[in-house]
Structures are given as structure tokens and as C-alpha cells.
């Protein structure tokens, strides 16, 4: 959530910054709500002052000739009238502030100054290319055909069990999927210094409001009703991990967490895109990285977190590129995002495998997560997150880049220990 002081001080500048990311900020509505809030605040303060003054009128009325009982009765009636008006104004004030909060919760983050302006992914900036795509002297297959050849991917049974965009992984492919997740966890926990956590995959609405998925993107979520309360399957482990410190003052920063979880997305509005195979599933797995840091450290933390995700791709020897997203392609909560895109031979292109974002204090304001400065004042922390990596898409990349002429798949060297010495899936 944006700092409302920024809007109050210079709403036009903020509106222009948001326009760069394709969001039209309703200045008139904001000014109207602010005007109503100010008027209600003034009236509330005046009524509180009037009630305080009224309580002192007993002595004045007695001096004017009224009996003590008459004076008390008159003051009591006056205070009652003022209190009734004050209660009504307090209720009105709360409703205005709730409406203002609802208005603010739908506004995306402000892009950093160095984020390139653009409308969509075609305007993203390639920062670096790592590795050379491998040449094949045979006709390459995509992961779907490879999975069928190895009897390792069963999309038909996934449809039978759940519906479209689900898959059953079997035998060597299932082991490879598990090995990838374990390798990522170990690398981030042991080599990169993240604390491993295991978090719930069903969360309440406050959790998703904290990280920005609610209220704006509810249609993209899988919702569950239980005990007349809404719960949601997590779209990413970013949500529960980042909310570990909701409504708390954090000490001993930075905090660095890694978790492996299933993730669930309804993919509303994306029908027709990537319907073949595992590129875009309703259920998938990710190893997620989250950092909670002081404001002064967040720029450095984004570069570090992104490099940690890159290290997985380097260890797997997969060609990839690092891309700085433009203003029109960033996520709702992000101020700056790097995408890592892995080379897929069957598509002859790079596809996203990780998004690493700095949300600055945007999520912390929604969650009310702070740190103490100099032991006295508090300040909002900065939160960062990134996939380290998306396990299913990494599986696809390994299958396609390590495929062999006979349809088998060579196991990357770093995964052989996790596959109990198996070097080829055949």
C-alpha cells in the first residue's frame, strides 16, 4: 500500500508515476474522499471539544441561579445530545476511512526510477545472457512428447482426477521433479544462508491482503469456504512467508526464508495460452525465496536474491537470460522486478522461470510490519521475494535441454546424488 502522505503532498506526481505502469489513478475520487475525511475529522474534534466544555457548565448554571439538580439535569441533557451527534460522526468517520482504505488497497506500487517505461513484455530490457543454447543433431521433442515416450507424464489421468491443467508425474520424471526441489532447497539453505520453513498452503484473507493478492485479484485464486469464513489456496509461498511478521515489530534483520510448496492459480483469463503441457498449470510447485530487510538494504537485497536464483540455473547448466521488467509488465506489489527466463529448445525461445521483486515498503504497510530505529522510532521494513525456482518449469527445461537422440534424458551432474546415482532417465 502506498504511503498516503505521498498522495496528500503531491497527488499529481504519484498519478503520473502510476500512469507509466498503465494504471489510471482517480485523482477526483481521492480528493473527494480526502475532503470528506477532513470535514469529518474537524466535526469530530469540535464535538469532542463541545462535550468537554459542556461538562464544566454545571458551576456556571448554579451561579446563574439554578439549583444543583436543575444544573446537572440540563448539562446531562446537553452532553447526551452532543454525545449522540459525536457517535454518529465517529461512525461516519470510520466509514469514510474504510472507503479510503479500500480505495488505497486497489492502487499498485510506484515503479522505481530505473524501471524502463513500457506497455508489455516487448518493452522489457535484457540485462544479461548466460550460456549458449545447445545445438541438436536430431529432431527435438517438447516436454510433452518426451514425457509420453518415458511414460513419465500422464495428462489424461490428471484430467480424470481433477480436470484440465493437471498432470500426474511418474517414475523417473517424478523423481527428477523431487530431486530438483530438494537440490534447490539445499542450495538456498546451505549455500545461500536462508532459513527453511514449511508453511500452510491454505491461508485467510488477511494474509493475501498483506501481500497484495486481495482484494484486486480474487478471481485468480482458489477459494474455500469453511465455518462461514473464506480461505484460499496459496498462489505462491510468498504470501504465508512474508506474513510471518504481520502486525509485528521485527528485530535482527535481515530475515531470509526459503520454502518448497505447492501453489494454486485459477489462471482466470489465460485460457488459450500455453494449454499444452506443464507451462501453465492450476497446481504447480515452487521453491520460494523471501527477504525482509531494512530500507537501506533493499536495493542490495534484490541483486543478491536474484543472483541466488541464477545460481540454480548455472548449476544446472541451463541457458537463460536476466530481464528487467518494464512498468507495464510488473506485478501489482512490485517496485522493481527481474525475470529469469530459461531457454526452451522446443519453443526456440526463453520462458520465465523466476520473478524476483523488491516491493519496498508496499507490503509492509499493508501488513503493518515494522522495525525499530535507534531503539525508539519505528519504520516499515522492505520485503522482497523470488522463485528459486519454479520446479515444474525447471523440470521442463531440464527435460528439453538434456534430451538425447533415443528419447532419454541425461541427468544434470548436480542432481545425480539426489537421483541415487541415476545418470539417465530412459
Amino acid at each position: 500500500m502506498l504511503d498516503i502522505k505521498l498522495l496528500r503532498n503531491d497527488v499529481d506526481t504519484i498519478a503520473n508515476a502510476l500512469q507509466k505502469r498503465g494504471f489510471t489513478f482517480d485523482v477526483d475520487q481521492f480528493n473527494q474522499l480526502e475532503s470528506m475525511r477532513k470535514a469529518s475529522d474537524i466535526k469530530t474534534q469540535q464535538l469532542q471539544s463541545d462535550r468537554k466544555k459542556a461538562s464544566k457548565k454545571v458551576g456556571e448554571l448554579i451561579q446563574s441561579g439554578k439549583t444543583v439538580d436543575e444544573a446537572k439535569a440540563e448539562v446531562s441533557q446537553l452532553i447526551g445530545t452532543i454525545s449522540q451527534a459525536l457517535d454518529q460522526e465517529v461512525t461516519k468517520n470510520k466509514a469514510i476511512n474504510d472507503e479510503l482504505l479500500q480505495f488505497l488497497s486497489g492502487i499498485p506500487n510506484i515503479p522505481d526510477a530505473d524501471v524502463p517505461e513500457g506497455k508489455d513484455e516487448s518493452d522489457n530490457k535484457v540485462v544479461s545472457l548466460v550460456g549458449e543454447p545447445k545445438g541438436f543433431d536430431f529432431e527435438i521433442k517438447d516436454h510433452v512428447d518426451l514425457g509420453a515416450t518415458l511414460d513419465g507424464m500422464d495428462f489424461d489421468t490428471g484430467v480424470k482426477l481433477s480436470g484440465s491443467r493437471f498432470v500426474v508425474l511418474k517414475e523417473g520424471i517424478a523423481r527428477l521433479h523431487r530431486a530438483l526441489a530438494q537440490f534447490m532447497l539445499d542450495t538456498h539453505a546451505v549455500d545461500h544462508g536462508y532459513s527453511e520453513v514449511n508453511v500452510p498452503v491454505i491461508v485467510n484473507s488477511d494474509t493475501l491482503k498483506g501481500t497484495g493478492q486481495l482484494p484486486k485479484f480474487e478471481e485468480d485464486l482458489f477459494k474455500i469456504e469453511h465455518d462461514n469464513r473464506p480461505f484460499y489456496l496459496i498462489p505462491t509461498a510468498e504470501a504465508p512467508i512474508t506474513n510471518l511478521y504481520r502486525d509485528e515489530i521485527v528485530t535482527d534483520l535481515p530475515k531470509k526464508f526459503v520454502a518448497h510448496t505447492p501453489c494454486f492459480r485459477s489462471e482466470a483469463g489465460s485460457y488459450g495460452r500455453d494449454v499444452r503441457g506443464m507451462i501453465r498449470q492450476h497446481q504447480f510447485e515452487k521453491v520460494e525465496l523471501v527477504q525482509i530487510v531494512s530500507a537501506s538494504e533493499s536495493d542490495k537485497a534484490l541483486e543478491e536474491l536474484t543472483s541466488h536464483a541464477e545460481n540454480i540455473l548455472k548449476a544446472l547448466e541451463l541457458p537463460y537470460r536476466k530481464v528487467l521488467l518494464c512498468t507495464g509488465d510488473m506485478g501489482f506489489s512490485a517496485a522493481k522486478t527481474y525475470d529469469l527466463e530459461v531457454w526452451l529448445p522446443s519453443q526456440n525461445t526463453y520462458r520465465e522461470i523466476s520473478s524476483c521483486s523488491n516491493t519496498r515498503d508496499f507490503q509492509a504497510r499493508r501488513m503493518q510490519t515494522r522495525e525499530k530505529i535507534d531503539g525508539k522510532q519505528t519504520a516499515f521494513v522492505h520485503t522482497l521475494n523470488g522463485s528459486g525456482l519454479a520446479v515444474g518449469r525447471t523440470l521442463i527445461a531440464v527435460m528439453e535441454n538434456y534430451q538425447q537422440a533415443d528419447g532419454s534424458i541425461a541427468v544434470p551432474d548436480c542432481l545425480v546424488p539426489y537421483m541415487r546415482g541415476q545418470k539417465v532417465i530412459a
Side-chain angles (χ1 to χ4, degrees):
M1 186 175 297
L2 297 183
D3 184 354
I4 196 170
K5 293 178 183 177
L6 295 175
L7 294 168
R8 288 169 179 165
N9 292 338
D10 195 350
V11 67
D12 291 330
T13 296
I14 301 303
N16 289 335
L18 293 170
Q19 189 66 50
K20 291 179 181 179
R21 60 178 300 164
F23 181 85
T24 300
F25 180 81
D26 194 333
V27 175
D28 290 338
Q29 184 180 1
F30 174 73
N31 287 336
Q32 182 181 14
L33 287 169
E34 271 292 279
S35 178
M36 292 166 59
R37 181 195 61 80
K38 288 177 183 177
S40 182
D41 284 349
I42 291 171
K43 188 171 182 180
T44 299
Q45 292 169 7
Q46 184 60 56
L47 286 168
Q48 289 172 335
S49 176
D50 290 345
R51 186 169 64 177
K52 188 175 181 180
K53 291 177 182 178
S55 64
K56 299 177 180 179
K57 281 185 172 290
V58 173
E60 295 177 13
L61 291 172
I62 293 173
Q63 288 180 356
S64 68
K66 295 191 176 183
T67 66
V68 172
D69 289 342
E70 288 174 336
K72 287 183 177 179
E74 187 172 332
V75 167
S76 178
Q77 183 177 5
L78 178 60
I79 290 176
T81 301
I82 295 172
S83 294
Q84 184 178 10
L86 179 59
D87 289 343
Q88 292 173 349
E89 195 59 40
V90 167
T91 301
K92 178 182 176 181
N93 190 280
K94 183 181 183 304
I96 293 169
N97 278 285
D98 286 346
E99 187 176 354
L100 186 57
L101 182 63
Q102 186 73 11
F103 174 80
L104 292 173
S105 68
I107 301 170
N109 205 350
I110 302 169
D112 282 359
D114 61 342
V115 172
E117 188 172 350
K119 293 182 179 180
D120 53 38
E121 60 185 20
S122 64
D123 295 315
N124 293 340
K125 178 183 176 182
V126 177
V127 177
S128 61
L129 286 164
V130 180
E132 289 288 336
K134 178 183 177 182
F136 293 89
D137 57 4
F138 56 87
E139 185 177 351
I140 62 173
K141 297 179 179 179
D142 70 4
H143 69 282
V144 178
D145 290 336
L146 287 166
T149 299
L150 297 168
D151 192 27
M153 286 184 176
D154 189 343
F155 292 96
D156 291 337
T157 301
V159 170
K160 181 177 75 173
L161 296 176
S162 302
S164 62
R165 300 195 182 190
F166 291 91
V167 65
V168 175
L169 301 181
K170 300 186 290 185
E171 297 295 337
I173 300 301
R175 285 195 298 274
L176 182 60
H177 185 269
R178 173 166 54 86
L180 282 164
Q182 190 64 55
F183 168 68
M184 294 174 192
L185 277 174
D186 284 353
T187 300
H188 294 310
V190 178
D191 298 339
H192 298 152
Y194 289 79
S195 297
E196 184 175 347
V197 291
N198 189 297
V199 291
V201 298
I202 299 175
V203 296
N204 57 35
S205 57
D206 286 342
T207 296
L208 293 175
K209 287 176 183 175
T211 42
Q213 284 85 12
L214 287 178
K216 193 173 180 65
F217 303 102
E218 185 166 16
E219 67 173 7
D220 294 327
L221 305 170
F222 281 101
K223 186 176 182 180
I224 301 170
E225 294 286 344
H226 180 69
D227 288 340
N228 295 317
R229 294 176 58 200
F231 293 87
Y232 300 86
L233 298 177
I234 61 170
T236 166
E238 166 204 345
I241 299 174
T242 309
N243 275 270
L244 288 173
Y245 292 98
R246 187 175 72 233
D247 297 320
E248 292 186 22
I249 294 177
V250 192
T251 58
D252 300 324
L253 294 178
K255 302 288 187 183
K256 298 166 60 176
F257 298 104
V258 61
H260 168 222
T261 67
C263 305
F264 307 86
R265 295 182 188 174
S266 72
E267 297 291 355
S270 65
Y271 297 101
R273 292 189 60 197
D274 301 319
V275 293
R276 178 175 168 83
M278 284 184 63
I279 292 289
R280 197 176 293 273
Q281 296 273 282
H282 288 310
Q283 176 182 322
F284 56 97
E285 293 181 28
K286 280 202 305 172
V287 171
E288 188 74 5
L289 306 175
V290 170
Q291 291 198 23
I292 302 173
V293 303
S294 299
S296 61
E297 297 297 316
S298 68
D299 287 328
K300 176 184 175 183
L302 177 61
E303 302 301 323
E304 179 190 71
L305 185 148
T306 305
S307 73
H308 292 159
E310 288 185 79
N311 286 344
I312 301 296
L313 291 166
K314 290 175 180 177
L316 293 169
E317 299 182 70
L318 293 171
Y320 72 94
R321 66 183 185 182
K322 178 180 175 181
V323 177
L324 177 60
L325 298 195
C326 71
T327 53
D329 199 31
M330 290 196 306
F332 179 80
S333 297
K336 182 177 181 178
T337 298
Y338 290 116
D339 266 10
L340 302 180
E341 299 177 346
V342 71
W343 177 257
L344 293 186
S346 69
Q347 298 186 13
N348 196 38
T349 193
Y350 293 93
R351 297 300 304 267
E352 177 203 334
I353 199 167
S354 173
S355 281
C356 302
S357 298
N358 187 350
T359 75
R360 300 208 175 274
D361 64 0
F362 186 84
Q363 292 179 331
R365 287 183 183 278
R366 299 171 78 100
M367 298 184 300
Q368 289 297 298
T369 304
R370 302 170 182 262
E371 65 167 326
K372 278 193 175 181
I373 306 296
D374 298 326
K376 297 179 180 179
Q377 294 182 330
T378 61
F380 288 108
V381 299
H382 282 201
T383 60
L384 306 96
N385 64 81
S387 303
L389 304 162
V391 182
R393 291 197 177 190
T394 309
L395 174 70
I396 292 169
V398 168
M399 290 175 67
E400 293 197 5
N401 283 279
Y402 280 83
Q403 64 180 292
Q404 302 183 113
D406 61 357
S408 63
I409 298 168
V411 176
D413 290 342
C414 63
L415 297 182
V416 171
Y418 294 90
M419 295 287 287
R420 293 194 173 186
Q422 184 178 356
K423 295 184 178 181
V424 177
I425 300 173

